[in-house]
Amino acid sequence: MLLKGELAVFLVVLLVVNTVAESPYRFFEWNITYGTIWPLGLPQKGILINGQFPGPDIVSVTNDNVIINVFNNLDEPFLLSWNGIQNRRNSFEDGVWGTTCPIPPGKNFTYILQVKDQIGSFYYFPSTAFHKASGGFGGFRILSRPGIPVPFDEPTGDFTVLIGDWYKSNHTYLKSILDRNHKLPFVDALHINGHGPQGPNRASFTVDQGKTYRLRISNVGLEHSLNFRIEGHKMKLVEVEGTHTMQETYSSLDVHVGQTYSVLITADQAPKDYYIVVSNRFSSILLTTTGVLHYSNSNQEFTGPPPGGPTIEIDWSLTQARSIRTNLTASGPRPNPQGSYHYGMINTTRTIRLANSAGQVNGKQRYAVNSVSFVPTKSNTPLKLADYFNIGGFTPGNIPDAPTGKGIYLDTSVLQTDYRTFIEIVFENKEGIMQSWHLNGYAFWVVGMDGGKWTPASRDQYNLRDAVSRITTQVYPKSWTAIYISLDNVGMWNLRSEFWARQYLGQQLYMRVYTTSTSWRDEYPIPINALLCGDVAGRHKRPL
């Protein structure tokens, strides 16, 4: 019988295929269970990872192989996705419905991730069955390799700060509302690392006076843009989703759904407890939750009310967003300036305009992109597997490149794109609410955003020098946001709203990135332990 350590090595030998260079391996074994959590001071049914809520941090180094064996002890299928991990040439491991079969109850699946040529702050979350509303999320760090300079001194401490909106009801009840195609009610509260606003239940971070700390702040919520601030302390922004930034200083920071920011704070105030404040943005109903920045030599608790922040001011947030730029002199994952890729000097070969909308289909609430509201294939076969085994079930290119103005209709929307092209995507938001968009498998340059209608003349205001490269971007009400993408990662990739109810009811699509319809030579083979479901259940692991 193999011992546990020998078994892990044996599995890696079997599972890791086509690894170009031997990089370190980091092994994780996770048990997914239900348990009682207390984010709002009352008991709730939550999703735990190894008994923890939120789940454990993943700490890795550029190019590491991260092996995560996930045991699903829930009573329903479960799937984890890795927000920002690019899974180069390997969308089989992406962990969303269109690429990966869910883990059945009582079974396990081993994710094999390589954090190839990446650094930065990200997070993971459950992508199926509205599980995200009950937990199962945690931080994912990719540290720079030794010898590659980082553009700031090593901080004394490094904290994961997960913020989000929260419901008193668990995911099962919320999912039942959506399954009846109704809108969700307004959220009940906000949380910091799973701790709500009530008294001793607050999240707390201990610092030493005079020392500097890094906070990796992720909005893991379901819908709301949030403002983050710390009483009496400035925040120096140093990294956004894998990109070192110009080190601007902010009193508060808007973190939109799905986004992650790294800031440095220095404990340079008198020793006492200070409020950490999170509040929602762009809503007539104001929610606030507080945590504690505790000086280790403090014997004084809070005094006075928590500091206020912005509420509905869009121009304030837009100005801040435009101030976030790439540090062109800093090294990225490799020892060369990350700004040396001159994206602004490359001609785009295609412009895709994507407009979100909301409406009714057969009397039921739906959300759409260019009038198409996404639905899975009838057999629930992940698109990646259907494509790989050449069994059809969807039509690449069945979503138009621009808004049509038609009413909403249902389809399995797949955008056909060409590998190794350079394209422009414009997100158009004619609705009166915030939007937040994420693309798996890629980082993209946010070259422009503004109010009103996008036209070709809008390109005159693009930032073609030091726009931030990131994985999630906001689109303000009745506004547009433009991004540039280098399509250098073959596969099937999810492009979605980070407003999870909208994603669940259709505001998403998949980008199919290949040279030809049958060209797999630039992609890793399907993992030999891949779960197969739908029309490919029981098939061999290689296409015929």
Side-chain angles (χ1 to χ4, degrees):
M1 178 178 292
L2 290 174
L3 298 177
K4 184 175 181 180
E6 294 172 330
L7 177 60
V9 173
F10 177 71
L11 286 172
V12 169
V13 172
L14 286 176
L15 299 175
V16 177
V17 182
N18 288 350
T19 301
V20 177
E22 189 70 14
S23 297
Y25 290 87
R26 298 180 186 268
F27 297 94
F28 300 86
E29 186 172 291
W30 285 359
N31 286 291
I32 312 300
T33 61
Y34 289 125
T36 302
I37 58 177
W38 301 74
L40 304 184
L42 299 171
Q44 285 183 251
K45 180 182 178 181
I47 295 175
L48 312 179
I49 300 179
N50 292 349
Q52 299 179 42
F53 168 73
D57 280 349
I58 294 176
V59 180
S60 61
V61 176
T62 301
N63 292 348
D64 278 357
N65 297 286
V66 180
I67 314 299
I68 309 166
N69 193 5
V70 178
F71 291 84
N72 178 16
N73 296 304
L74 308 183
D75 57 2
E76 55 187 330
F78 182 81
L79 197 58
L80 284 169
S81 189
W82 319 94
N83 212 62
I85 307 306
Q86 293 182 12
N87 294 312
R88 305 292 299 176
R89 302 163 57 197
N90 192 12
S91 57
F92 294 106
E93 306 281 358
D94 211 31
V96 290
W97 173 86
T99 63
T100 313
C101 292
I103 307 170
K107 303 295 183 180
N108 73 298
F109 176 69
T110 301
Y111 289 91
I112 305 165
L113 314 175
Q114 187 182 28
V115 290
K116 179 69 174 173
D117 290 336
Q118 286 192 265
I119 59 165
S121 309
F122 308 99
Y123 67 89
Y124 60 86
F125 70 98
S127 63
T128 48
F130 221 66
H131 287 131
K132 190 181 182 186
S134 288
F137 43 71
F140 198 133
R141 305 177 190 177
I142 308 175
L143 308 178
S144 294
R145 288 177 292 170
I148 296 183
V150 175
F152 51 88
D153 293 335
E154 182 74 18
T156 299
D158 196 329
F159 297 114
T160 294
V161 185
L162 306 176
I163 61 177
D165 45 21
W166 195 260
Y167 285 94
K168 294 177 182 177
S169 303
N170 64 28
H171 73 277
T172 305
Y173 174 73
L174 298 172
K175 178 177 176 293
S176 72
I177 296 175
L178 295 173
D179 287 342
R180 296 193 301 272
N181 293 80
H182 295 311
K183 294 181 180 180
L184 292 180
F186 196 80
V187 298
D188 294 304
L190 309 178
H191 73 87
I192 304 173
N193 283 355
H195 297 271
Q198 303 302 320
N201 193 43
R202 290 187 179 101
S204 183
F205 303 88
T206 299
V207 296
D208 293 332
Q209 192 171 24
K211 303 295 185 180
T212 297
Y213 296 83
R214 183 173 184 170
L215 276 60
R216 302 172 189 259
I217 309 161
S218 297
N219 185 340
V220 298
L222 301 173
E223 178 177 352
H224 287 277
S225 297
L226 302 175
N227 184 265
F228 182 91
R229 52 198 182 272
I230 303 176
E231 178 189 10
H233 293 74
K234 300 291 187 181
M235 297 179 291
K236 181 184 292 184
L237 185 66
V238 294
E239 178 252 332
V240 172
E241 298 162 4
T243 298
H244 292 305
T245 62
M246 297 297 291
Q247 296 181 12
E248 303 288 346
T249 299
Y250 302 99
S251 297
S252 70
L253 194 61
D254 277 356
V255 187
H256 305 279
V257 186
Q259 293 185 340
T260 299
Y261 292 88
S262 267
V263 301
L264 299 179
I265 63 164
T266 299
D268 55 4
Q269 301 299 303
K272 71 181 193 73
D273 289 353
Y274 293 88
Y275 285 107
I276 298 173
V277 186
V278 174
S279 58
N280 62 323
R281 295 283 270 119
F282 318 116
S283 172
S284 59
I285 302 173
L286 181 62
L287 298 175
T288 300
T289 193
T290 58
V292 184
L293 185 70
H294 172 71
Y295 278 52
S296 59
N297 58 340
S298 166
N299 56 11
Q300 183 180 351
E301 296 186 352
F302 299 123
T303 56
T311 54
I312 61 173
E313 302 88 349
I314 292 175
D315 287 346
W316 183 97
S317 186
L318 178 60
T319 299
Q320 182 178 86
R322 288 171 171 164
S323 72
I324 299 171
R325 297 168 295 135
T326 296
N327 183 343
L328 297 180
T329 64
S331 291
R334 301 185 182 194
N336 62 287
Q338 58 189 17
S340 62
Y341 188 90
H342 297 295
Y343 69 93
M345 300 177 66
I346 303 173
N347 292 326
T348 57
T349 58
R350 182 179 178 186
T351 295
I352 300 168
R353 295 165 47 214
L354 301 177
N356 49 271
S357 59
Q360 301 279 313
V361 178
N362 299 324
K364 296 181 178 180
Q365 182 65 45
R366 297 296 298 184
Y367 301 97
V369 185
N370 286 1
S371 299
V372 187
S373 185
F374 182 90
V375 290
T377 58
K378 292 181 180 179
S379 64
N380 275 322
T381 306
L383 301 176
K384 177 63 189 164
L385 295 180
D387 205 19
Y388 192 78
F389 287 101
N390 196 28
I391 65 171
F394 68 95
T395 304
N398 63 347
I399 180 171
D401 275 15
T404 63
K406 296 181 180 179
I408 294 176
Y409 61 96
L410 307 180
D411 203 353
T412 306
S413 40
V414 177
L415 188 66
Q416 178 63 45
T417 56
D418 294 327
Y419 181 44
R420 291 178 177 158
T421 57
F422 192 75
I423 68 171
E424 172 188 42
I425 294 181
V426 182
F427 298 106
E428 299 181 354
N429 178 20
K430 297 179 181 179
E431 298 183 73
I433 66 169
M434 282 290 300
Q435 294 288 321
S436 189
W437 290 92
H438 173 86
L439 175 60
N440 281 9
Y442 285 93
F444 47 74
W445 289 274
V446 183
V447 294
M449 57 176 64
D450 204 355
K453 181 180 179 180
W454 181 90
T455 68
S458 301
R459 297 188 179 113
D460 294 341
Q461 61 177 282
Y462 282 5
N463 179 353
L464 299 182
R465 182 177 182 272
D466 60 356
V468 69
S469 175
R470 63 185 315 165
I471 61 171
T472 305
T473 187
Q474 71 273 28
V475 190
Y476 292 95
K478 301 187 183 302
S479 300
W480 57 267
T481 294
I483 64 174
Y484 281 175
I485 311 173
S486 177
L487 295 179
D488 59 357
N489 193 13
V490 294
M492 185 80 72
W493 305 105
N494 189 220
L495 176 60
R496 63 175 180 263
S497 170
E498 285 287 2
F499 286 18
W500 216 239
R502 283 183 167 247
Q503 179 270 352
Y504 189 87
L505 293 181
Q507 194 176 317
Q508 62 169 310
L509 56 97
Y510 282 82
M511 283 182 57
R512 185 182 186 277
V513 185
Y514 291 107
T515 51
T516 70
S517 61
T518 58
S519 176
W520 309 103
R521 62 183 177 270
D522 291 307
E523 186 173 35
Y524 286 143
I526 185 172
I528 62 173
N529 72 321
L531 299 172
L532 300 182
C533 56
D535 284 340
V536 299
R539 288 197 173 220
H540 296 291
K541 297 294 171 60
R542 298 287 183 266
L544 300 177

